[in-house]
Amino acid sequence: MDLLDTLRSTGAVRGFTDEPVGDDTVVSILDTARFAPSGGNKQPWRVAVVKDPALRHAMAELMRPVWEEYMGANAVGRRPFAFGRSIDAAPVAVPNALIDEIGTVPVVLAVAANLHDIAIMDGNLDRPPVVGGASIYPFCWSIILAARAHGLGGVMTTFLSRAEVPAAVPLGLPADHALVATIFLGVPTHQNTKLRRNPVDSFATIDRFDGAPLAG
C-alpha cells in the first residue's frame, strides 16, 4: 500500500474472522515494528504473545470491570479516567467482543515498557506524566501499520493497564516495567477506511497555541 494512503485509512479493527494468523506472520510484523523510534534508541519494549486460553480468560476478567466503569462514565456524559481519575458513576454492563470473545481473537499481544529506559521529562509537573509514551507508542502503532501490510487489522487498548498490579503475576511482567497496551490482531471482518478526523485548521495554529489557525 502507498504510505500516505495507509496512514489516512488505517482505522481500529475490533472484529475478526476465524482465520488463524501464524507465528511467522507475527514475527514479521514485530520485525518491522522494531524499527520504531524511541528516546535514545533504547527500544524499551517487551511483547508477550498470549496464546494460553486460561491466561486470555484471566486478562478478560481483569479488563471487564474497567470496561464497565468506562461505559458507566460515558453513560453520564463524562470523560472516563480523565487524568487518571475515576468517575463517580455506576458501572454499566455493555458487550465488548474483544473482551467477551478474547479466546477466539487470532493474536493477542501484551506490550510492556522498561521504565529504566524511558525519560519521563514531565515527571516533575503537578499532573500525571504523559511524554514517556513517546518511547513506546510509536512501536505499538507500527505494529498496527505492519499488520495492515499483511492484510490484517487491529486495535490497541489500555484497559488492562488499569489492572496492571493483578495482571503482573500471570503475565510475568518484569519488575520496573509498565504494562502499556494490549493489541488485538486478525483478519478483519470489516476494514473501516473512511475515517473522520478534525481538519488541520482546527488544531494547528501559528507561533502560539492561541495563534491564528494554520491554513494551506
Side-chain angles (χ1 to χ4, degrees):
M1 294 181 63
D2 175 80
L3 176 59
L4 293 182
D5 286 343
T6 302
L7 291 172
R8 294 173 69 99
S9 65
T10 301
V13 172
R14 297 178 174 85
F16 308 105
T17 71
D18 58 3
E19 184 175 338
V21 177
D23 284 352
D24 55 340
T25 299
V26 176
V27 169
S28 180
I29 290 170
L30 296 176
D31 189 47
T32 298
R34 68 190 173 93
F35 288 96
S38 60
N41 195 28
K42 290 294 186 179
Q43 305 168 50
W45 42 77
R46 293 285 300 273
V47 180
V49 183
V50 183
K51 298 184 178 185
D52 180 14
L55 181 51
R56 286 189 178 198
H57 176 75
M59 293 169 65
E61 289 301 295
L62 291 172
M63 286 189 283
R64 184 168 288 107
V66 180
W67 166 250
E68 293 178 355
E69 186 179 359
Y70 181 93
M71 294 306 295
N74 273 336
V76 296
R78 302 291 297 276
R79 179 61 181 167
F81 312 128
F83 283 98
R85 296 189 299 271
S86 295
I87 299 299
D88 186 17
V92 175
V94 177
N96 182 312
L98 290 175
I99 295 174
D100 302 337
E101 302 172 21
I102 193 171
T104 63
V105 176
V107 180
V108 177
L109 306 176
V111 183
N114 186 338
L115 296 177
H116 288 302
D117 288 334
I118 294 179
I120 311 296
M121 295 295 187
D122 57 348
N124 63 327
L125 301 181
D126 189 22
R127 61 160 174 77
V130 296
V131 302
S135 284
I136 187 65
Y137 289 118
F139 170 72
C140 294
W141 182 233
S142 291
I143 291 175
I144 302 293
L145 292 177
R148 183 84 187 276
H150 288 268
L152 306 178
V155 64
M156 176 178 68
T157 74
T158 54
F159 290 109
L160 191 61
S161 299
R162 188 164 175 83
E164 178 183 291
V165 173
V169 172
L171 283 173
L173 184 69
D176 301 321
H177 280 58
L179 185 60
V180 297
T182 307
I183 298 176
F184 301 88
L185 301 173
V187 177
T189 54
H190 172 70
Q191 178 74 61
N192 183 16
T193 58
K194 294 183 178 180
L195 310 180
R196 293 182 295 175
R197 299 293 187 267
N198 295 329
V200 171
D201 61 7
S202 72
F203 61 81
T205 51
I206 297 173
D207 292 329
R208 296 164 48 94
F209 292 110
D210 58 357
L214 177 67

